[in-house]
Amino acid sequence: MTRRTEIAERLLDVQERIAVAAKKAQRDPSEITLIAVTKSFPISDIEILSQLGVQEFGENRDSDAAPKAAAVPGRWHFQGQIQSNKLKSICSWAHVIHSLDELRHFEVIEKFATHPLEIFLQVNLDGLAERGGAAIESLYPLASIIQAHPVHRLAGLMAVAPLGIDPEIAFGNLHEIQRGFLRDFPSAKSLSAGMSQDFETAISHGATHLRIGSQIMGSR
Ligand SMILES: *Cc1c(COP(=O)(O)O)cnc(C)c1O
């Protein structure tokens, strides 16, 4: 099997599973965006995805992502833990940032971004901050500042299901947190949740942006 056939089959399988899960949750599949997470995979794979019609790509590390984004046109998402010293570069290639959790990072974005960014705030669901994100209370003031910003747009919330916790419970909590958040920020409707192992559960709890790597690309 060629790499192209392998990726095409895996992609189709994921797209079909998304459609089924959306139907089951009585949701319109067109409100769900699939982001192909291409971290650790080469530009040649991303070109295949692009030929297959994928336009949304997700990466975790600035140094890996910058050359990929320069090589393949699309909408590029940054979802890794933010390091301040990389943020200026991230702002040069990313269109969407999923992992903002501190005001000082937004201040760097304000200073250096040369195009409008869409920003998700990462909520920590386990209180351990192991996989990034902050407690929802501390994200409210940050959300107010981004929402009032004339250039950048507050998209919504993002979370990763904590290791060792049933994603059904984690994403159920997230959905509840989002309901509260939407009362204060009704236009920040997006919810970035769901990876290879748990995206169907995320869809059942309102995810609008799925970040899927290995299920499309194969094991890393
Ligand atoms: C790696 C990663 C993904 C994709 O993970 P898969 O299990 O390969 O689908 C999604 N979101 C974040 C934040 C990641 O680090």
Side-chain angles (χ1 to χ4, degrees):
M1 205 193 313
T2 65
R3 183 67 175 141
R4 188 190 161 98
T5 312
E6 184 190 3
I7 292 177
E9 283 183 3
R10 286 176 163 277
L11 175 65
L12 189 61
D13 174 65
V14 167
Q15 288 166 333
E16 285 171 357
R17 284 171 59 188
I18 292 170
V20 170
K23 194 164 175 220
K24 220 171 134 186
Q26 297 179 307
R27 297 185 53 200
D28 179 354
S30 71
E31 68 186 35
I32 298 172
T33 301
L34 169 61
I35 300 159
V37 174
T38 50
K39 67 181 181 207
S40 84
F41 291 97
I43 286 173
S44 55
D45 281 354
I46 304 171
E47 284 168 340
I48 290 172
L49 286 168
S50 173
Q51 289 158 10
L52 293 168
V54 175
Q55 289 177 358
E56 314 273 342
F57 305 106
E59 288 278 337
N60 285 47
R61 289 167 62 108
D62 173 62
S63 55
D64 297 336
K68 293 177 180 178
V72 185
R75 205 168 152 72
W76 285 84
H77 299 251
F78 178 78
Q79 57 180 33
Q81 263 187 20
I82 294 176
Q83 291 173 275
S84 313
N85 61 339
K86 301 285 166 61
L87 202 44
K88 183 179 178 185
S89 173
I90 291 167
C91 287
S92 72
W93 57 264
H95 304 97
V96 186
I97 293 183
H98 288 250
S99 44
L100 193 78
D101 58 8
E102 286 186 67
L103 177 59
R104 67 188 175 100
H105 290 152
F106 183 64
E107 288 167 351
V108 178
I109 292 172
E110 267 188 299
K111 194 163 163 202
F112 291 115
T114 54
H115 60 256
L117 287 166
E118 268 193 52
I119 298 174
F120 287 84
L121 300 183
Q122 184 172 358
V123 189
N124 178 262
L125 295 176
D126 64 2
L128 295 173
E130 246 178 26
R131 301 177 94 178
I136 185 70
E137 307 78 49
S138 64
L139 294 177
Y140 273 76
L142 178 55
S144 300
I145 289 167
I146 301 173
Q147 180 167 259
H149 198 273
V151 175
H152 305 299
R153 194 177 81 79
L154 179 66
L157 299 177
M158 177 277 214
V160 176
L163 290 170
I165 295 183
D166 182 353
E168 181 62 41
I169 292 171
F171 291 144
N173 286 343
L174 177 64
H175 204 180
E176 199 52 44
I177 288 169
Q178 189 209 23
R179 284 191 194 100
F181 186 76
L182 284 173
R183 283 197 282 276
D184 285 23
F185 304 100
S187 60
K189 286 187 175 49
S190 298
L191 187 62
S192 170
M195 302 168 38
S196 289
Q197 300 309 319
D198 55 23
F199 67 88
E200 283 135 326
T201 309
I203 289 170
S204 76
H205 290 292
T208 62
H209 290 68
L210 314 174
R211 308 176 313 272
I212 302 181
S214 50
Q215 203 60 45
I216 297 172
M217 311 302 288
S219 52
R220 269 176 216 110

